[in-house]
Amino acid sequence: MSYDAVVLISFGGPERPEDVLPFLANVTRGRNVPPNRLAEVAEHYQHFGGVSPINQQCRDLLAAIRSDFAAHGLDLPVYWGNRNWHPMLADTVAQMHHDGIRSALGFVTSAYGGYSSCRQYLEDIATARSAVGPDAPKIDKLRQYWDHPGFVEPHAAAVSAALATLDADRRESTRLVFTAHSIPVSMAASAGPEGGRYEAQLRETAGLVAERAAPDLPYDLVWQSRSGPPQVPWLEPDVNDHLRALAAEGVTSVVVSPIGFVSDHLEVVWDLDTEAAATAKQLGLDFVRAGTPGTDPGFVSMVRELVTERLNPADTAPRRRLGTLPAWDTCPDGCCLPVRRP
């Protein structure tokens, strides 16, 4: 199948104080989030002037992708649309239709399988196309990339850089702590046809990053950014609880690496740089938060690689992967069915 565009699809975020509550209403619609939790999250945004970093990060990534495409002779326009705030994906799809785009590839700023991280984006695409009408451009989501070198290696480099800032004499009591967005236990159990897809991919990424950055150090995968009703079980432990446990074990230094994310958006700068850093300070732990891929050249090149894979389906060269879990492409039914290869 031929494609005549690429669209960057992301979560979106407010860019003015008055955007915060309408944005959060979009995010939480139908999820029964308690009002006090909504007000608490709104204060997180207001702490930064009501501006989420994510939209500017998407603009930066968009510019980097366009530049990389041009440098490598890939003549495809690149659009950008969000799930929860402007530019809304439906508006972007309408613009693509106006520009004569018939079929596009979608790159989502989430590397993993599961409902919120994969299948909901497929639903967003379907909703946006329905809003535009029967002649809306077709959009096929690119594959998940939790174990692609362009995702793993920037995370590993960031962990290495963070470790270099800590006291080398304390290395034996240093721990790597990988974080990702917590989700309800029931949602984690149903992620993928066989269940557990989200956790399994994250655990593989954590192992791949740790192996490259510090194979001598122990590491853990923990969770952050819980937002649901307190009576609903979510993945645990929370990063703050885990830091307390590590301090009790005699750990002196931690590098926290948000492998669940591609950029330093608000859930990174608030939940980790603000809350988790404060917890570590109270405990007397040396704390460094590793960076995310952002616009790292390897990550940007990865986007082009994922596009060219789909543009050249007859190419039987192995896809660039570092892990051992099955490689999956996306599908609306099981949030991800096996890739069929020649």
Side-chain angles (χ1 to χ4, degrees):
M1 179 172 180
S2 62
Y3 297 95
D4 49 9
V6 173
V7 56
L8 171 66
I9 306 171
S10 194
F11 192 81
E15 299 194 271
R16 303 177 301 169
E18 55 267 38
D19 293 343
V20 173
L21 287 177
F23 161 74
L24 290 176
N26 287 343
V27 174
T28 60
R29 185 172 291 114
R31 290 174 51 192
N32 194 30
V33 175
N36 62 329
R37 175 57 179 166
L38 206 60
E40 180 184 342
V41 175
E43 282 302 312
H44 299 170
Y45 284 92
Q46 298 299 357
H47 182 82
F48 297 97
V51 179
S52 168
I54 194 169
N55 270 9
Q56 186 56 50
Q57 290 161 359
C58 282
R59 292 186 185 98
D60 295 342
L61 180 58
L62 188 69
I65 292 170
R66 287 170 172 165
S67 178
D68 180 80
F69 280 13
H72 291 85
L74 186 55
D75 186 20
L76 290 176
V78 187
Y79 294 81
W80 165 39
N82 290 326
R83 168 185 291 172
N84 296 302
W85 203 245
H86 308 286
M88 300 298 288
L89 183 57
D91 296 333
T92 300
V93 173
Q95 182 63 53
M96 292 165 67
H97 176 253
H98 179 269
D99 294 344
I101 302 300
R102 301 293 300 275
S103 186
L105 290 166
F107 174 76
V108 168
T109 56
S110 174
Y112 301 95
Y115 177 71
S116 296
S117 52
C118 178
R119 197 171 85 197
Q120 191 174 5
Y121 281 106
L122 291 164
E123 293 173 358
D124 295 335
I125 290 169
T127 300
R129 294 187 67 243
S130 178
V132 173
D135 293 329
K138 179 178 172 59
I139 300 174
D140 289 334
K141 181 181 175 294
L142 292 166
R143 70 176 171 97
Q144 297 158 11
Y145 48 90
W146 81 95
D147 67 343
H148 194 289
F151 181 68
V152 171
E153 290 169 359
H155 273 299
V159 169
S160 296
L163 280 168
T165 69
L166 292 172
D167 185 348
D169 292 337
R170 290 185 164 192
R171 190 170 180 95
E172 289 188 2
S173 56
T174 297
R175 192 75 152 246
L176 305 183
V177 178
F178 296 105
T179 71
H181 203 301
S182 185
I183 60 174
V185 170
S186 59
M187 185 181 290
S190 63
E194 78 291 359
R197 175 76 51 79
Y198 181 67
E199 288 182 88
Q201 290 177 343
L202 278 158
R203 293 192 187 284
E204 182 160 75
T205 302
L208 292 168
V209 173
E211 178 184 17
R212 283 154 180 76
D216 60 312
L217 293 181
Y219 69 89
D220 308 291
L221 173 66
V222 302
W223 309 97
Q224 64 170 91
S225 310
R226 176 190 170 126
S227 61
Q231 68 272 20
V232 177
W234 282 50
L235 294 176
E236 295 179 339
D238 175 79
V239 60
N240 294 283
D241 294 336
H242 189 65
L243 292 177
R244 295 182 187 100
L246 291 179
E249 293 173 10
V251 170
T252 62
S253 312
V254 293
V255 169
V256 175
S257 171
I259 56 167
F261 308 103
V262 305
S263 68
D264 291 2
H265 55 64
L266 191 118
E267 286 174 319
V268 173
V269 299
W270 176 264
D271 294 351
L272 300 182
D273 296 354
T274 306
E275 288 189 336
T279 298
K281 185 176 181 180
Q282 292 168 1
L283 296 167
L285 287 172
D286 293 334
F287 176 98
V288 184
R289 198 267 295 169
T292 49
T295 56
D296 181 278
F299 184 64
V300 175
S301 296
M302 180 198 76
V303 179
R304 172 172 40 84
E305 288 187 29
L306 296 179
V307 169
T308 55
E309 282 179 2
R310 294 293 285 270
L311 293 176
N312 302 292
D315 187 353
T316 59
R319 297 181 174 194
R320 285 224 298 155
R321 300 182 62 233
L322 297 171
T324 59
L325 289 174
W328 306 89
D329 275 348
T330 59
C331 93
D333 296 329
C335 193
C336 313
L337 292 180
V339 172
R340 295 188 181 275
R341 295 185 180 155

